[in-house]
Amino acid sequence: MTYQEANNISIKDYLESLGILPVVDKLYYGMYHSPLRQDDTPSFKVDYGVNLWCDFGTGEGGSLIDLVMKQHECNAYGAISRLEQGYYSADTFSFQGKNITERNPAREERKRPASPVEIRSIQPLQNPALTNYLKSRGIAPEVATDYVQEMYYRVNGKPLFALAFKNNAGGYELRNPGYKGCTSPKDITRIQFAGKKNDACFVFEGFMDYLSFLTIRHKNSPAYPCIDWQDYIILNSTANVDKALYPLGEYEKIHCLLDNDEAGRKATQAILKEYGWRVRDASHLYSGHKDLNDYLCQKSSQPTERMQQPEKQTQSAKQPKQEEKNEQSPGEKRKRGRRL
């Protein structure tokens, strides 16, 4: 089973196979008691249109693979293996005896409910409510404007708006003070710079962490933030780590700045397993914090703390200084010191 095939399995059908039924079942979503923890009121939402889940009690969410990873404390490969056990034949899929006929994309397209997110317009970031939201997360709006837009959309006829961060497949990650979601299709976002061939790539879990990184760089070194010295991949979900492995093969240095939680560690381990010595886990730079944005939020009211870049954390006395010398011109060394 491929990664895409696994995530195409209906989360609703998967939960039903486990005997978990929605407490509230609408046309386009269902509210469940969480399969990941004990809750008194249904706080686990499954969006049928985009086939994603969100546990409002913990703030976590994602695809079916994310859910299986959480349930069984395994990585993406382990989750797919567990789902593969349901394949009893080439034309039948079964969860614990519940048979689901082979998927017919054309037929399913006709039967599938329309996506609950009806996009009305996308435009440059300027809404004060959204720029103030960025400020509340410690992120400088002027830094974010090159990377996020504002989307106006409707869900079940209700008009809404949110920050919109585009992925490589044309879908969007959506954020506002009361909503964390996305439009389909779900994918990674890869950021490269025209005319440059960088040998390093920084990997982030979500776009808020990426914008936090840019904000920190601009605060620490306004004249020389060195934003284009490396490329970037934003996973937009740890479930997308497999999609990032192929493009990461182009880089000699891979710095993982993922969340300090189990999902973040497993995603980092998956990249380490693939590329070994080329990978550096940089999450220790914000140890004691859930993620890079949490670090920024707690530090934003304090004097700017300079975070050294991953190379300097594990360096011996000689080699890192030599690397730094090779990468910088003599006149820029002090101004362009490499830090997070």
Side-chain angles (χ1 to χ4, degrees), residues 229-291:
W229 282 20
Q230 56 278 316
D231 293 344
Y232 306 92
I233 287 179
I234 297 88
L235 298 179
N236 295 318
S237 169
T238 53
N240 288 335
V241 67
D242 287 352
K243 297 180 182 180
L245 293 179
Y246 181 78
L248 284 174
E250 300 178 17
Y251 300 98
E252 296 176 13
K253 300 174 184 178
I254 302 166
H255 303 290
C256 294
L257 295 99
L258 305 182
D259 290 6
N260 281 316
D261 59 13
E262 190 63 20
R265 286 187 287 271
K266 286 180 177 178
T268 299
Q269 286 302 313
I271 298 172
L272 274 164
K273 183 178 180 181
E274 189 74 16
Y275 294 113
W277 60 269
R278 287 194 267 173
V279 181
R280 289 185 173 128
D281 181 359
S283 61
H284 64 275
L285 294 173
Y286 43 95
S287 60
H289 302 273
K290 178 184 180 297
D291 53 33

Side-chain angles (χ1 to χ4, degrees), residues 317-330:
K318 287 185 179 179
Q319 182 154 356
K321 292 183 179 179
Q322 186 62 38
E323 285 182 11
E324 204 170 276
K325 184 176 180 181
N326 290 339
E327 294 179 3
Q328 300 170 354
S329 63

Side-chain angles (χ1 to χ4, degrees), residues 36-97:
L36 304 175
R37 58 185 178 82
Q38 292 291 329
D39 61 358
D40 296 326
T41 57
S43 57
F44 187 92
K45 180 180 179 180
V46 176
D47 189 317
Y48 303 147
V50 294
N51 201 35
L52 295 171
W53 61 273
C54 180
D55 190 332
F56 292 107
T58 63
E60 298 173 314
S63 65
L64 176 59
I65 289 180
D66 289 313
L67 178 58
V68 178
M69 288 168 58
K70 288 285 184 183
Q71 284 181 305
H72 299 284
E73 297 185 347
C74 60
N75 59 20
Y77 302 106
I80 293 173
S81 296
R82 287 180 178 275
L83 293 170
E84 275 183 325
Q85 294 172 9
Y87 268 106
Y88 292 154
S89 66
D91 61 354
T92 304
F93 191 78
S94 171
F95 281 115
Q96 299 181 358

Side-chain angles (χ1 to χ4, degrees), residues 170-306:
Y172 289 87
E173 297 296 310
L174 302 177
R175 299 290 185 276
N176 64 35
Y179 180 74
K180 178 179 181 180
C182 65
T183 67
S184 59
K186 189 85 169 174
D187 202 356
I188 65 171
T189 302
R190 186 181 184 186
I191 297 174
Q192 298 173 282
F193 297 90
K196 291 202 68 177
K197 177 67 175 177
N198 287 319
D199 65 354
C201 184
F202 286 13
V203 183
F204 300 90
E205 189 164 325
F207 77 89
M208 283 295 187
D209 294 318
Y210 172 61
L211 297 179
S212 298
F213 169 82
L214 298 182
T215 297
I216 292 171
R217 273 292 181 87
H218 279 278
K219 282 184 177 180
N220 286 348
S221 185
Y224 298 102
C226 310
I227 300 303
D228 62 346
W229 282 20
Q230 56 278 316
D231 293 344
Y232 306 92
I233 287 179
I234 297 88
L235 298 179
N236 295 318
S237 169
T238 53
N240 288 335
V241 67
D242 287 352
K243 297 180 182 180
L245 293 179
Y246 181 78
L248 284 174
E250 300 178 17
Y251 300 98
E252 296 176 13
K253 300 174 184 178
I254 302 166
H255 303 290
C256 294
L257 295 99
L258 305 182
D259 290 6
N260 281 316
D261 59 13
E262 190 63 20
R265 286 187 287 271
K266 286 180 177 178
T268 299
Q269 286 302 313
I271 298 172
L272 274 164
K273 183 178 180 181
E274 189 74 16
Y275 294 113
W277 60 269
R278 287 194 267 173
V279 181
R280 289 185 173 128
D281 181 359
S283 61
H284 64 275
L285 294 173
Y286 43 95
S287 60
H289 302 273
K290 178 184 180 297
D291 53 33
L292 191 54
N293 182 249
D294 181 51
Y295 170 88
L296 175 62
C297 288
Q298 295 193 36
K299 297 295 182 182
S300 60
S301 61
Q302 303 174 16
T304 303
E305 178 177 327
R306 297 196 173 189

